Amino acid sequence: GIGYSEPRIVPTEKDLERAARVLNEGSRVAMLVGAGALHAGDEVMQAANILSAGVAKALLGKAVIPDSVPYCTGAIGLLGTRPTYDMIMQCDTLLMVGTSFPYSEFLPREGQARGVQIDIKSRMLSLRYPMEVPLHGDSKLTLQALIPLLKPKHNMGWRRMIEREVAGWWELMEARAHIPAKPINPQYLFWELSPRLPDHSIITCDSGTCANWFARDLKIREGMMASLSGGLATMCPALPYALAAKVNYPNRPVIACVGDGAMQMLGNEVLVTATRLWRNWPDPRFLVCILHNNDLNQVTWEQRVMEGDPKFKASQDLPDFPFAQYAELLGMRGIRVDHAEDVPDALDDALAADRPVVLDVLTDPDVPPLPPHIKFEQARKYMSAIVHGDPDTYGIVRQSALGFFEPLLAETFRGKP
């Protein structure tokens, strides 16, 4: 039948009081928010300010609060940031809102932190971490009921430490983005795209190494939307997601970030469908940013770091495909970029075009997607891949060395001795 009306789901007053007691007694509160909090950004920031907490974001929750917020530590997990990792590992209280983040090794150690979780799906409560107070309810409504019960923290040392780490992290990201590469550092593309994103953009991303740069380098502003495969297990989602977004929001600019492997598997076919539709869009801006490195890069790096295997060229190398020319053949705009200095102008041209644009950017496959915290076992297997004759040894060692020297790199970029 028709006529469904969304119910108002909030926890009991007794449970809200229990949750407030736990949060008020904590001195180092960390918040983790996800897709279930996308409609509750204002309440998330209000609660964070009362609790002097930092806010980390699961990948599907990237648009909950803007990345410019000084206490927003960014993504969590293998694709996450160092400030998030440090905050989660040092907190004494964890407040999870609207997220079922599945990688529990990136959550506090059991017994380290007291926990409160808000989720509209009751089966998700305490699934990833043993919560002291699980709250079954809508994120926005539950936070609105909880906030009046929270007491402001007077010890601001925790918040100041988080904000210092966040500021240092963005300096590091800027420095890493400007490391020379052959031909183009993929981080540089995302760093330059970030400030150029039009207001109210919708950004989609694929599951390859581009997801690393999407998670870390791209700054989401208020009013934007963003999505990718939340479990990082879906192949080629960026273009289907982008087309669905454009069909549903034809007045908003849509940007898809995708690797050349996903383009060859599915993306090229999606462009054919877009060719049939785009002339009916009030806003024709539909930008496809392709990281073109002729490598199934995410799997290549996973094999090196997780298995200790050198790159197996027979399965990892991709045929070179002329994506920009293909776009022109379809009646779109195609722009090929093979020099880093041309990236800013190419992005400006693409975002000002009167039709969909395929931006074919030749990127360096040897730039490592460094995790926020490198474990000994990961380093050991990476070295094993090199010892066993990885065909790209020189490039990956060079780029890894540049990325590993983080403190020196950031200081150098700031112009300090």
Side-chain angles (χ1 to χ4, degrees), residues 28 32 34 53 76 99 120 164 178 189 203 270 286 291 326 369 382:
R28 302 187 304 278
L32 173 60
I76 186 173
T99 178
I120 195 70
R164 283 196 304 271
H178 287 78
L189 170 64
I203 305 102
V270 177
F286 184 82
L291 279 68
Y326 177 67
Y382 177 44

Side-chain angles (χ1 to χ4, degrees), residues 42 61 76 89 207 209 254 270 294 306 312 339 375 392 401 415:
D42 290 342
I76 186 173
M89 292 300 115
S207 299
T209 47
V254 173
V270 177
N294 297 321
M306 297 172 67
F312 185 54
H339 292 89
K375 298 179 181 178
D392 298 330

Side-chain angles (χ1 to χ4, degrees), residues 85-106:
Y85 183 85
D86 289 345
M87 177 181 72
I88 295 296
M89 292 300 115
Q90 296 175 37
C91 72
D92 63 13
T93 310
L94 175 65
L95 172 56
M96 288 177 60
V97 184
T99 178
S100 60
F101 177 72
Y103 306 105
S104 56
E105 65 268 29
F106 290 96

Side-chain angles (χ1 to χ4, degrees), residues 30 59 96 125 133 195 211 214 220 266 270 280 320 332 345 363 413:
L59 280 176
M96 288 177 60
L125 295 169
V133 185
F214 165 88
I220 294 293
L266 182 63
V270 177
N280 295 320
D320 199 15
M332 299 180 176
D345 288 343
T363 56
F413 190 83

Side-chain angles (χ1 to χ4, degrees), residues 24 53 101 109 120 135-136 165 169 247 254 301 321 339 360 390 408:
N24 289 334
F101 177 72
R109 296 177 299 278
I120 195 70
L135 298 174
H136 180 208
E165 287 209 13
W169 173 261
V247 169
V254 173
W301 279 104
F321 188 88
H339 292 89
D360 185 8
D390 193 287
L408 176 61

